[in-house]
Amino acid sequence: MPSKSYSGQRASWGLKLASVAALLFLHVPILIIFLYTLTPDEQTFTFPLPGITFKWFGVALQRPDLWRALTLSLQVAAVATLAALVLGTLAAAAVYRSNFFGREAISFLLVLPIALPGIVTGIALRTALGTYDISFSYWTIVIGHATFCVVVVYNNVLARFRRMQGSQIEASMDLGANSFQTFRYVVFPNIATALLAGGMLAFALSFDEVIVTTFTAGQQTTLPIWIFSQLSRPRDRPVTNVVAILVVLITFFPIFFAQRLSAQNSDIEGGSK
Amino acid sequence: MLIRVSTYLYQRPKLVLSLLLGPPLIYMVVVYLGSLFNLLVYSFYYLESFTGLIVREFTLSTYAQIFEPANRDIFIRTAGMAMAVTIADALIAFPLAYYIARFSSPRLKTWLIIAVTIPLWSSYLVRVYAWKLILAQEGILSWFIRLIRLDGVLEWLLSFESIGGSSLALSPIGMFIVFAYIWLPYMIIPIQTALERVPNSLLEASSDLGAKPLQTFRTVILPLSFPGVVAGSIFTFSLTLGDFIVPLALGNSKFFIGQAVYSYQGTAGNIPLAAAMTMGPVVIMIIYLLVARRLGAFDAL
Amino acid sequence: MTDQSKPAIQFENVSRHFGAVKAVDHADIEIHDGEFFSLLGPSGSGKTTCLRMIAGFDKPTEGRIYLYGQDVSDLPPFERNVNTVFQDYALFPHMNVGDNIAYGLMVKGVSKPERLKRVDEILDLVQLKGYGDRKPSQLSGGQRQRVALARALINHPKVLLLDEPLGALDLKLRQQMQVELKAIQQRVGITFIFVTHDQEEALTMSDRIALFNQGRIEQVGSPSEIYEHPASAFVAGFVGTSNLISGELAKRVSGKMGTFSIRPEKIHLGSVDVNVSPDSYSADGVVRDVIYLGLYTRYLVQLDGGGEVMVIEQNLKTTSMDVLKIKGQRARLHWKKEHTHEVGG
């Protein structure tokens, strides 16, 4: 492990040990679920495992309720992401291009749904639905998810706008491109990867969200809701393990690529200077 | 045609601004703030206990209910847990954040940051679920504790009334571990960001002026990274305050705020009381945010 | 369409205010067809704001701007046939050099073969043949500069605006580009409007110069007019170096009250017994400091009765040994009366 720092000092053993311990604490628990997908034990979480079996993956595949939950979660995440992309980009563009009074307030308003505990958003939306007699539907879930997804796209796109060389938009218009052409040929290519990164994060956020969803889903079951019901009243322990792993995998890749994308972009910019 | 629209818009920057800002603002103000405000209004209504119906008349009686001993205990219990979790996370996060910021090569740093941010973004529920497996009586942690022959110590700890319980999963200790685990990434990233901003020249200046490494750490690095700790604590504190998934999943019998709100609005149908109780975390968070801003913690977000 | 008899650019009582700040204050300028015109001034003097208003990025708060007689004050940048070379070049990082240059033609719907042909021609003009496939990040500063120029010129603008385009280049490259830019301007015959804070650059390249100070135009004129006949103390001080004499000293030297400027190279340094011809003024003093600069020597002379004057003399016959001996000695300064300019208060 390279331990030479910029300042040329070496990390002490104590520091390294504490860092490794923190990293293990962050990641080992998830690995334990992987382990448990192989247990033949249906009733308890006995460790060491009494044996090894791969049958639960097959069992999970056969469960129509799981497929329905998965489909619903994917649909909700896709539409919430789309809404977040549009609303977040508009807000970022507005804040970037003008110095209007209250732009701090906009940022604050958008951050609020992730800064306040999820239960606040959840119960507020639930109460509002009750007040106006709106019945639970696919759209009530989407609306709930969009509130906290917008800020993810907003932050990513605004950061990219701020790193974009300022005079590019002026240069484009100066060369005769109208606002729409300027967006298509200059602005969009510049923010495309930020949209991709923000969109993937928003997707992951929505896909495994459970707190707000419990308040806005009614009788519908998303995948996280399905897992949650198993947490309080376990019936299908081994299948739950498989589903948990599925959720981990479905969210891992978008997040991983989004992070790589942001890291790469800052690398490229750093290199060109 | 497009050119005309474009020219028209170019000459009216305020119109463009409102077109851009309109949709997100309308959405957030109408849907989000509107709902929050509606919730605030409900907290001033009350539930007629005899009929079980909500009476839409202004009253402070619902807020008075919060100060009944049972509810007050819930608040104290939750705030205590949030505080303990925040302190524990700060202690666990700092060394790793410090290592990432000061001792890792650029390449390793990228990977370490990814290793920290992936759990931050993903699978909150699955990460709670993992601890259900780990903390189970017949599960891996008990096995490990028996292996290293500390089961006597564990039993002794669980015998305390305030922090103990019938098993690790059902005790506040178990819940504390899960909360600390779940919110840890929210503490690492702001601290790392704050540390990243301490210029090397400052450290060199400090050692040049004769400070030993430990003195430099205490007098320069620690104060300068404190805003990062505060920023991280905003999340760990707020998220613990409002969470109901962890207590429900672990099957704890003593209520926490989130759990209480969940059951008041759900089975009890007492939306006013649930609303009033939610205002607790909201007010605490707003005060917290204001204090944090004065400390300059927002720069580290 | 273009009325050649009208000025290329005309400012009619143009002001631009940002809140309480008067970035440009009642400016009247006329820039002729085919001219190389410089807007010169210290930073914050309003020259860049003027350029941005010509380009269309900013609108005048008051007054009108005409492009060959057409009122363009309210037109967006994409509806006026004016192009800009930006200070930071503003090349599109996601396009290669060829696509950058062809951008203006592309958005106007010029066919691809035509675009390629014209890009080749213009690359030739700016001496970047064969660089079409490179990305801007693979070019040096000077090359990016040429691409920015080519990208603007390919559209045959009526007026080309250059916003401190040489600011980021090192001295050698800068001087080379000054010559090259001037040559290109003469070849294409387009009106160039050049913003700079570098007086030497403005003097070297321009047909005419407008000198800005705090949002106002101090003087408009050819380089020699501005240098030889500065209209104000500010102009005298900003363009080249000048000695200002005023008050009692001015009265003693010239017999008149007022403020006068004399360029240091116009003053001759002689011994105290030298005879001064009747068409010259003179003043005596002590040589306080001598700075030998190879090509010439700079003397600081403390005049009797107050005031310090800088004198520059070419080292035609003298060496550093000779000139350094003068330090501390008394000397008589004299200069032709016609080189003394009254610059007002």
Side-chain angles (χ1 to χ4, degrees):
Chain A
M1 196 197 290
S3 55
K4 286 278 271 183
S5 80
Y6 288 119
S7 52
Q9 287 172 312
R10 274 175 172 279
S12 68
W13 280 106
L15 181 64
K16 281 190 197 171
L17 207 66
S19 305
V20 171
L23 278 174
L24 289 177
F25 182 50
L26 271 179
H27 292 282
V28 169
I30 295 284
L31 299 180
I32 289 174
I33 309 180
F34 275 94
L35 198 65
Y36 269 102
T37 55
L38 307 178
T39 187
D41 183 354
E42 266 187 77
Q43 297 308 317
T44 63
F45 298 125
T46 310
F47 192 88
L49 305 185
I52 284 191
T53 173
F54 289 93
K55 72 173 176 182
W56 301 117
F57 293 95
V59 173
L61 274 177
Q62 305 297 321
R63 292 281 296 263
D65 56 332
L66 281 180
W67 282 107
R68 275 197 302 275
L70 176 66
T71 316
L72 180 63
S73 282
L74 288 175
Q75 281 171 343
V76 167
V79 178
T81 303
L82 203 66
L85 282 174
V86 173
L87 297 176
T89 308
L90 287 176
V95 167
Y96 170 71
R97 78 189 289 275
S98 27
N99 217 332
F100 62 92
F101 172 77
R103 48 190 276 178
E104 291 289 312
I106 301 286
S107 293
F108 188 74
L109 173 62
L110 292 178
V111 173
L112 220 47
I114 55 169
L116 286 179
I119 193 168
V120 177
T121 310
I123 190 170
L125 289 173
R126 167 69 157 263
T127 309
L129 292 177
T131 310
Y132 298 101
D133 258 333
I134 302 165
S135 52
F136 297 111
S137 72
Y138 168 74
W139 291 105
T140 55
I141 309 180
V142 170
I143 283 172
H145 284 197
T147 55
F148 55 79
C149 286
V150 171
V151 66
V152 179
V153 176
Y154 168 81
N155 277 344
N156 266 277
V157 174
L158 187 61
R160 182 62 52 82
F161 268 134
R162 290 197 169 137
R163 271 183 299 177
M164 184 173 147
Q165 209 189 8
S167 39
Q168 274 190 65
I169 293 172
E170 287 187 348
S172 167
M173 294 201 164
D174 184 72
L175 292 164
N178 62 44
S179 316
F180 304 105
Q181 289 171 316
T182 299
F183 181 81
R184 179 172 159 201
Y185 297 120
V186 175
V187 178
F188 184 74
N190 263 295
I191 62 168
T193 50
L195 286 175
L196 193 60
M200 287 195 289
L201 287 179
F203 181 89
L205 217 53
S206 164
F207 183 79
D208 64 21
E209 210 287 335
V210 65
I211 297 181
V212 176
T213 319
T214 50
F215 291 97
T216 56
Q219 299 303 312
Q220 305 164 89
T221 306
T222 62
L223 211 50
I225 299 264
W226 188 91
I227 299 177
F228 183 51
S229 67
Q230 291 293 323
L231 274 176
S232 28
R233 275 167 274 104
R235 278 180 304 246
D236 308 285
R237 288 170 194 257
V239 176
T240 311
N241 294 334
V242 174
V243 176
I245 289 310
L246 181 73
V247 172
V248 169
L249 293 180
I250 289 180
T251 51
F252 174 84
F253 289 103
I255 295 165
F256 181 76
F257 286 119
Q259 295 295 336
R260 288 298 294 161
L261 218 55
S262 330
Q264 264 168 18
N265 273 309
S266 43
D267 281 357
I268 289 167
E269 271 157 33
S272 71
K273 269 169 193 163
Chain B
M1 178 57 200
L2 276 184
I3 291 188
R4 270 217 221 125
V5 175
S6 185
T7 304
Y8 182 86
L9 290 175
Y10 191 87
Q11 289 162 342
R12 287 159 189 80
K14 283 195 180 132
L15 174 66
V16 174
L17 184 61
S18 40
L19 284 177
L20 289 174
L21 211 49
L25 209 57
I26 289 171
Y27 184 80
M28 290 309 288
V29 170
V30 172
V31 174
Y32 187 69
L33 285 187
S35 300
L36 281 185
F37 182 75
N38 185 56
L39 187 67
L40 182 68
V41 171
Y42 262 82
S43 68
F44 292 107
Y45 296 159
Y46 66 99
L47 187 81
E48 171 65 60
S49 54
F50 187 64
T51 56
L53 291 175
I54 294 165
V55 182
R56 301 191 175 200
E57 278 168 23
F58 178 84
T59 173
L60 288 173
S61 65
T62 309
Y63 277 99
Q65 276 181 279
I66 290 182
F67 296 97
E68 286 168 8
N71 287 329
R72 204 184 52 212
D73 284 352
I74 295 177
F75 266 97
I76 292 170
R77 190 179 302 128
T78 313
M81 176 62 83
M83 215 173 300
V85 168
T86 300
I87 293 168
D89 273 343
L91 292 177
I92 304 171
F94 202 93
L96 180 56
Y98 188 60
Y99 185 85
I100 296 176
R102 301 226 72 88
F103 293 105
S104 60
S105 65
R107 209 183 143 73
L108 178 66
K109 182 179 287 186
T110 313
W111 286 104
L112 286 177
I113 289 176
I114 287 179
V116 175
T117 41
I118 282 181
L120 187 141
W121 287 109
S122 78
S123 316
Y124 155 79
L125 186 63
V126 172
R127 295 171 70 235
V128 176
Y129 175 72
W131 282 92
K132 182 100 175 159
L133 306 183
I134 295 167
L135 292 177
Q137 205 137 33
E138 69 283 5
I140 190 165
L141 191 60
S142 304
W143 170 82
F144 184 73
I145 287 172
R146 277 197 306 277
L147 192 74
I148 55 173
R149 298 187 188 276
L150 283 178
D151 36 344
V153 178
L154 178 67
E155 260 163 53
W156 176 72
L157 275 177
L158 290 178
S159 67
F160 285 95
E161 210 202 326
S162 54
I163 57 168
S166 56
S167 76
L168 199 51
L170 294 176
S171 70
I173 300 177
M175 198 184 301
F176 164 76
I177 296 174
V178 179
F179 272 132
Y181 163 77
I182 296 281
W183 310 134
L184 181 59
Y186 290 87
M187 188 61 101
I188 300 175
I189 295 293
I191 297 181
Q192 182 250 335
T193 315
L195 283 170
E196 211 69 70
R197 293 195 186 152
V198 180
N200 270 330
S201 57
L202 226 58
L203 307 185
E204 281 160 13
S206 169
S207 65
D208 187 58
L209 293 169
K212 297 195 179 66
L214 212 62
Q215 285 174 313
T216 302
F217 180 81
R218 218 184 52 231
T219 55
V220 180
I221 297 175
L222 214 52
L224 285 176
S225 60
F226 190 67
V229 178
V230 174
S233 68
I234 292 175
F235 288 107
T236 54
F237 198 83
S238 148
L239 293 169
T240 310
L241 272 190
D243 193 89
F244 64 92
I245 302 286
V246 172
L248 276 179
L250 295 183
N252 191 284
S253 55
K254 287 178 185 161
F255 265 11
F256 281 71
I257 295 178
Q259 216 176 347
V261 168
Y262 184 67
S263 79
Y264 282 142
Q265 72 84 37
T267 47
N270 192 346
I271 293 175
L273 184 55
M277 286 197 83
T278 326
M279 290 306 145
V282 171
V283 169
I284 293 175
M285 276 322 293
I286 287 173
I287 294 170
Y288 209 119
L289 286 171
L290 291 176
V291 172
R293 192 159 70 177
R294 294 199 71 170
L295 290 171
F298 282 104
D299 298 336
L301 279 181
Chain C
M1 205 172 79
T2 302
D3 185 350
Q4 300 286 349
S5 65
K6 294 271 172 58
I9 291 289
Q10 186 180 5
F11 272 45
E12 203 178 82
N13 194 26
V14 170
S15 295
R16 177 70 174 100
H17 300 170
F18 296 100
V21 182
K22 294 175 175 172
V24 176
D25 198 18
H26 299 293
D28 286 294
I29 319 174
E30 240 177 59
I31 300 170
H32 310 313
D33 180 50
E35 217 175 10
F36 196 117
F37 193 93
S38 290
L39 309 179
L40 175 65
S43 59
S45 61
K47 54 191 196 306
T48 298
T49 307
C50 278
L51 196 80
R52 292 176 58 81
M53 287 192 289
I54 301 174
F57 305 137
D58 252 325
K59 262 181 14 178
T61 316
E62 197 187 318
R64 313 303 299 170
I65 297 172
Y66 299 93
L67 173 67
Y68 287 102
Q70 182 200 1
D71 184 352
V72 294
S73 317
D74 296 323
L75 287 184
F78 46 87
E79 289 210 52
R80 36 179 110 181
N81 197 356
V82 166
N83 288 125
T84 307
V85 176
F86 289 82
Q87 188 169 14
D88 59 0
Y89 315 137
L91 300 180
F92 305 125
H94 54 287
M95 298 181 192
N96 66 25
V97 167
D99 290 341
N100 259 286
I101 295 177
Y103 189 82
L105 302 178
M106 191 250 315
V107 296
K108 273 187 216 84
V110 174
S111 74
K112 185 139 197 186
E114 169 74 12
R115 277 176 358 221
L116 290 175
K117 196 180 116 237
R118 282 173 61 182
V119 167
D120 272 348
E121 285 167 15
I122 204 96
L123 279 174
D124 213 13
L125 179 77
V126 297
Q127 299 172 19
L128 281 177
K129 222 179 165 90
Y131 280 76
D133 292 331
R134 305 249 184 132
K135 279 282 174 80
S137 57
Q138 297 170 295
L139 301 181
S140 70
Q143 289 167 334
R144 287 181 207 186
Q145 162 70 61
R146 288 159 202 260
V147 174
L149 185 65
R151 186 176 70 173
L153 280 178
I154 200 169
N155 305 299
H156 299 308
K158 290 178 181 169
V159 171
L160 183 75
L161 308 174
L162 302 105
D163 184 10
E164 308 226 11
L166 307 180
L169 306 179
D170 62 53
L171 187 66
K172 272 264 159 58
L173 197 54
R174 209 178 155 119
Q175 288 169 341
Q176 185 195 332
M177 280 305 292
Q178 288 174 5
V179 177
E180 216 172 294
L181 259 183
K182 182 82 186 167
I184 288 176
Q185 193 255 344
Q186 278 161 355
R187 237 175 103 185
V188 296
I190 293 173
T191 311
F192 275 35
I193 301 179
F194 189 90
V195 163
T196 182
H197 64 266
D198 181 338
Q199 42 105 6
E200 201 180 306
E201 197 166 272
L203 292 177
T204 315
M205 303 170 73
S206 321
D207 296 321
R208 285 196 307 147
I209 298 170
L211 196 77
F212 281 74
N213 182 30
Q214 297 183 332
R216 289 178 165 275
I217 297 173
E218 296 268 340
Q219 188 175 2
V220 179
S222 68
S224 66
E225 272 166 9
I226 290 204
Y227 189 80
E228 303 287 350
H229 303 285
S232 66
F234 175 81
V235 177
F238 191 79
V239 180
T241 36
S242 247
N243 295 299
L244 289 180
I245 55 172
S246 58
E248 276 304 307
L249 183 64
K251 187 158 188 200
R252 203 150 44 78
V253 171
S254 66
K256 283 185 283 183
M257 286 299 278
T259 304
F260 302 92
S261 83
I262 316 122
R263 296 288 179 192
E265 72 276 14
K266 306 290 190 201
I267 304 176
H268 297 288
L269 186 77
S271 56
V272 282
D273 51 8
V274 75
N275 284 322
V276 178
S277 66
D279 63 347
S280 295
Y281 292 132
S282 74
D284 288 3
V286 178
V287 179
R288 277 265 164 263
D289 212 348
V290 178
I291 301 149
Y292 180 76
L293 291 161
L295 196 60
Y296 54 88
T297 302
R298 199 187 302 157
Y299 305 89
L300 284 177
V301 180
Q302 175 85 47
L303 296 183
D304 302 342
E308 205 175 48
V309 166
M310 186 197 288
V311 179
I312 290 174
E313 292 223 313
Q314 263 191 292
N315 296 321
L316 293 174
K317 300 188 185 93
T318 44
T319 68
S320 65
M321 292 303 285
D322 303 329
V323 296
L324 288 172
K325 277 187 222 149
I326 299 172
K327 184 169 174 177
Q329 296 190 6
R330 290 191 59 79
R332 174 164 297 165
L333 309 181
H334 55 99
W335 62 91
K336 290 261 167 58
K337 285 179 179 172
E338 69 211 57
H339 291 143
T340 312
H341 302 287
E342 185 159 7
V343 290

